[in-house]
Amino acid sequence: MKQEQGIKLSGNLTMSIAQEAPSFLPFFLPKVRPLGLKACCTLTSDDSRLDHLGECQDFDIDALAWAIQSGLSVSCVERYLKRWNASRIKQELSQSLQLQLFPILFFAVERNCSELVRLLCGAGADPAQTPLLTGFPLLAYCIMSAEYQLSDTADVLFTLLAMGASPYDLPQDMWCDYIKNPAKFGPRLPSTEMAKYIWCSLDVRAALCRTFNLLQRYQFKMASLLPDRTARSKQVAAAFDITPLFEIPFQIVGQRLAARTTQEWIMSHALHHIEMPLVLLFTGPSGHGKTELAKRMGELLSLPLLKIDCTQTRFTTDLFGPQAPFAGHEAGSPLNNFLADYSGQKAVVFLDEFEKTTADVYRSLLLLFDEGFYKDRRIVGKQLDCTKIIWILASNQGEEMIQKYWDDHLADKPEYAQLQIPIDPLQRQLEQSFQATLGAPLTGRLSAIIP
């Protein structure tokens, strides 16, 4: 039997490491307790305990880890972090490696909570941090946790990739050809990479081979093709609370270009403080992810979303309801009431199969798209602020143009090259096509056409 020695952790914890043939498996995090508790600080697994700790003592990384392990709410953890200056918290989280054998993000992954991962990364935690003793990467722990916890950790994994974790933290041969299952024995590594992957012993690699599924390998491959996030883009996303937008490319399979373009337009709109609605036209064949992309975007940004089927919308009254004093104006309409409920707030309106409605409906949207203001039809004279509404119009028009552009410019290109091909010529063609159906005034009010 192997002899074991104890490694002391902060918070009076012990982790065992075998003296012979060290193995990281099974990989479980230690149970953490806050340090320096006062007599009044009894530990019970409810939000009030962390609130109390925040009131009576200074920031403690162990208290934060305890709260995460104890299942305390994300909002409670957020309150705890906001008790101190943001720059202080960023420094504390980035230095947590010095205080714990495990960085704080490991505990969020153990909890299998993508919300906590977003929160901690937004506050300054670094997904590239590794445990002091082992150098074991967070992505590998996340993948292998699925086997230990008997739960799906895919959402947390994709969030880590979106927050900047590098797919190269795992040996490239395990995911580069993502269709193939990774081999139990990897190729011989060059001497320059051996130190980087010293953690990937035979038993660890075998565990990864069991749990590293096709979708995860595909997302690793796609992450390797995306450009690195710039410091400027991170600052803009944090300033306008749209950091989850970085996850859009990982939420939609096969629509990287559309996802990236949508992300760029939303960030640009926020950065330039444009005081008018953002109007995006998604176009392409049915079943290619237009509705899913709009839905995921709303979910990631925690925005309410209203979907309207324009095939059933023939007149202005179908869209907005009758005006006072006509009968039925008191009830409004789903769109009218949605705009009233979220006046001056961010929200998403999705107009599906928009090209199948009528010129009457097109005209009714001109002023709304242009100035962002609208009068509630239920209350005479009440003006609504719709400047922060994101309008997404979906259409199947132009699918032949898109298919031809694909065949001519993209079909024979590898995936990394497809993301570099400009789509401006295609967008101009589509704009001309939509001018013929929607009319030049409405087409001119579109922020972007996204194929």
Side-chain angles (χ1 to χ4, degrees), residues 25 208 267 301:
L25 305 181
L208 285 171
M267 294 188 68
L301 295 178

PDB file of all heavy atoms in Angstrom, residues 25 208 267 301:
ATOM      1  N   LEU A  25      -5.637  11.597  -9.270  1.00  0.00           N
ATOM      2  CA  LEU A  25      -6.978  11.018  -9.288  1.00  0.00           C
ATOM      3  C   LEU A  25      -7.217  10.136  -8.067  1.00  0.00           C
ATOM      4  O   LEU A  25      -6.305   9.440  -7.618  1.00  0.00           O
ATOM      5  CB  LEU A  25      -7.167  10.206 -10.570  1.00  0.00           C
ATOM      6  CG  LEU A  25      -6.906  10.962 -11.856  1.00  0.00           C
ATOM      7  CD1 LEU A  25      -7.141  10.059 -13.055  1.00  0.00           C
ATOM      8  CD2 LEU A  25      -7.772  12.211 -11.961  1.00  0.00           C
ATOM      9  N   LEU A 208      -9.487  11.810 -19.089  1.00  0.00           N
ATOM     10  CA  LEU A 208      -9.932  12.798 -20.068  1.00  0.00           C
ATOM     11  C   LEU A 208     -10.527  12.122 -21.304  1.00  0.00           C
ATOM     12  O   LEU A 208     -11.532  12.580 -21.855  1.00  0.00           O
ATOM     13  CB  LEU A 208      -8.772  13.707 -20.481  1.00  0.00           C
ATOM     14  CG  LEU A 208      -8.342  14.773 -19.465  1.00  0.00           C
ATOM     15  CD1 LEU A 208      -7.053  15.445 -19.908  1.00  0.00           C
ATOM     16  CD2 LEU A 208      -9.447  15.813 -19.283  1.00  0.00           C
ATOM     17  N   MET A 267     -21.617  45.333 -29.015  1.00  0.00           N
ATOM     18  CA  MET A 267     -20.555  46.014 -28.268  1.00  0.00           C
ATOM     19  C   MET A 267     -20.279  47.393 -28.849  1.00  0.00           C
ATOM     20  O   MET A 267     -20.061  48.365 -28.116  1.00  0.00           O
ATOM     21  CB  MET A 267     -19.283  45.158 -28.265  1.00  0.00           C
ATOM     22  CG  MET A 267     -19.435  43.850 -27.503  1.00  0.00           C
ATOM     23  SD  MET A 267     -17.897  42.940 -27.310  1.00  0.00           S
ATOM     24  CE  MET A 267     -17.000  44.009 -26.201  1.00  0.00           C
ATOM     25  N   LEU A 301     -27.592  37.879 -21.841  1.00  0.00           N
ATOM     26  CA  LEU A 301     -27.612  39.244 -21.331  1.00  0.00           C
ATOM     27  C   LEU A 301     -28.695  39.448 -20.279  1.00  0.00           C
ATOM     28  O   LEU A 301     -28.887  40.558 -19.786  1.00  0.00           O
ATOM     29  CB  LEU A 301     -27.824  40.232 -22.485  1.00  0.00           C
ATOM     30  CG  LEU A 301     -26.703  40.288 -23.527  1.00  0.00           C
ATOM     31  CD1 LEU A 301     -27.056  41.259 -24.643  1.00  0.00           C
ATOM     32  CD2 LEU A 301     -25.381  40.680 -22.882  1.00  0.00           C
TER      33      LEU A 301
END
